Amino acid sequence: MTSPANAAGAQAGQAYARYPSLVDRTVLITGGATGIGASFVEHFAAQGARVAFFDIDVAAGEALAGQLGDSRHAPRFLACDLTDVDALKKAIADVKRALGPIAVLVNNAANDKRHSIAEVTPEFFDAAIAVNLRHQFFAAQAVAEDMKQHGGGSIINLGSISWLLKTPNMPVYLTSKAAVQGLTHALARDLGPFGIRVNTLLPGWVLTEKQRRLWLDDEGRRALQEGQCLQGELMPEDLARMALFLAADDSRMVTAQDFIVDAGWA
């Protein structure tokens, strides 16, 4: 059965922009098995890229790879705990051997678990930073040499408008997502001389299956209606289409920038 996101990916190949520079380009996506990440995988595969994606959800990852097996290049799923930096580096090395030099990195993986200030322990803080921020740095570090040898590349770090909106009950998550923008600017400066572009993609409230199941209620719907300038639901494919542009040569002189896709909320 085709998932709604997969159907949107197929539609994107017909109704939206095509990027010839992405054909046969090796793209690595973290946290790609579900939600926004799955839409990234589908849209890059529809462009003819060589896609690899990591996730700890083995069942969802294998299912998505199977659904997209008839793409020009069947996406390659690798189970990986991104909080284990050694495992992350090994998985990236495996992708290089299988698909060639990595030209695009989409640092998508995160966990927006709700939490209060009082319940945060040092262990929780470190674990949240590891899943929401630390892996982005080490993934970028691991692909940088490929991109240098390739003559350039694109790194897209996923941030969030949640810290701009001062969303309650997620203090460590907001801290890590604010830091992502600092990481982007630092990497953009240091990697720019090698033609490597680094940008942040900041989603608004993207209504994935998880968000609908856990947190979307009548109060949330009212907040969306009042906060967004554009009415309607923000979907994973809306983020994916911006990521395609930032990965393609069309954005060759765009770096150290923060792109908000939130229907005008922040």
Side-chain angles (χ1 to χ4, degrees):
M1 178 180 295
T2 301
S3 69
N6 194 29
Q11 181 186 14
Q14 299 172 4
Y16 296 93
R18 300 289 300 178
Y19 295 98
S21 62
L22 293 178
V23 175
D24 295 332
R25 185 165 289 180
T26 300
V27 178
L28 173 59
I29 299 161
T30 67
T34 60
I36 298 172
S39 190
F40 289 150
V41 172
E42 292 161 357
H43 280 71
F44 277 103
Q47 294 284 332
R50 302 176 187 270
V51 179
F53 65 104
F54 299 160
D55 210 291
I56 59 172
D57 189 337
V58 176
E62 291 179 345
L64 179 60
Q67 288 174 9
L68 300 175
D70 59 352
S71 304
R72 173 173 175 149
H73 304 294
R76 181 178 293 261
F77 167 65
L78 290 85
C80 181
D81 179 356
L82 301 176
T83 65
D84 182 338
V85 174
D86 288 338
L88 172 62
K89 291 180 178 179
K90 180 183 181 303
I92 290 174
D94 290 342
V95 171
K96 294 178 186 179
R97 283 191 293 270
L99 301 181
I102 296 168
V104 177
L105 168 65
V106 183
N107 271 322
N108 167 71
N111 188 337
D112 60 349
K113 180 181 179 181
R114 274 49 172 176
H115 55 278
S116 68
I117 292 174
E119 69 184 291
V120 174
T121 64
E123 293 76 17
F124 179 93
F125 186 96
D126 290 346
I129 294 297
V131 74
N132 293 315
L133 174 66
R134 188 179 69 182
H135 74 87
Q136 293 200 9
F137 175 86
F138 286 103
Q141 181 190 65
V143 304
E145 197 57 39
D146 271 6
M147 292 184 178
K148 290 177 183 179
Q149 294 179 9
H150 186 71
S154 176
I155 298 173
I156 303 166
N157 296 325
L158 267 289
S160 173
I161 69 164
S162 57
W163 74 273
L164 297 170
L165 297 177
K166 304 175 224 20
T167 304
N169 298 317
M170 294 194 292
V172 184
Y173 178 79
L174 268 58
T175 298
S176 61
K177 285 302 185 179
V180 167
Q181 288 175 251
L183 174 63
T184 288
H185 287 223
L187 293 175
R189 169 54 68 185
D190 290 348
L191 297 177
F194 305 99
I196 301 171
R197 299 173 289 110
V198 190
N199 293 287
T200 312
L201 183 53
L202 289 83
W205 194 353
V206 182
L207 295 183
T208 62
E209 180 183 344
K210 174 184 174 182
Q211 297 296 317
R212 294 179 191 278
R213 183 177 73 253
L214 296 180
W215 297 302
L216 182 63
D217 54 18
D218 289 341
E219 182 180 352
R221 292 185 181 91
R222 283 193 298 271
L224 286 170
Q225 185 173 15
E226 294 171 1
Q228 293 183 175
C229 296
L230 299 174
Q231 295 304 299
E233 295 184 343
L234 188 65
M235 300 300 292
E237 53 264 32
D238 296 312
L239 276 296
R241 294 180 192 122
M242 179 61 81
L244 293 177
F245 170 72
L246 294 174
D249 291 351
D250 297 59
S251 59
R252 70 179 191 90
M253 294 299 285
V254 178
T255 195
Q257 302 302 310
D258 305 318
F259 290 87
I260 298 176
V261 181
D262 71 343
W265 194 346

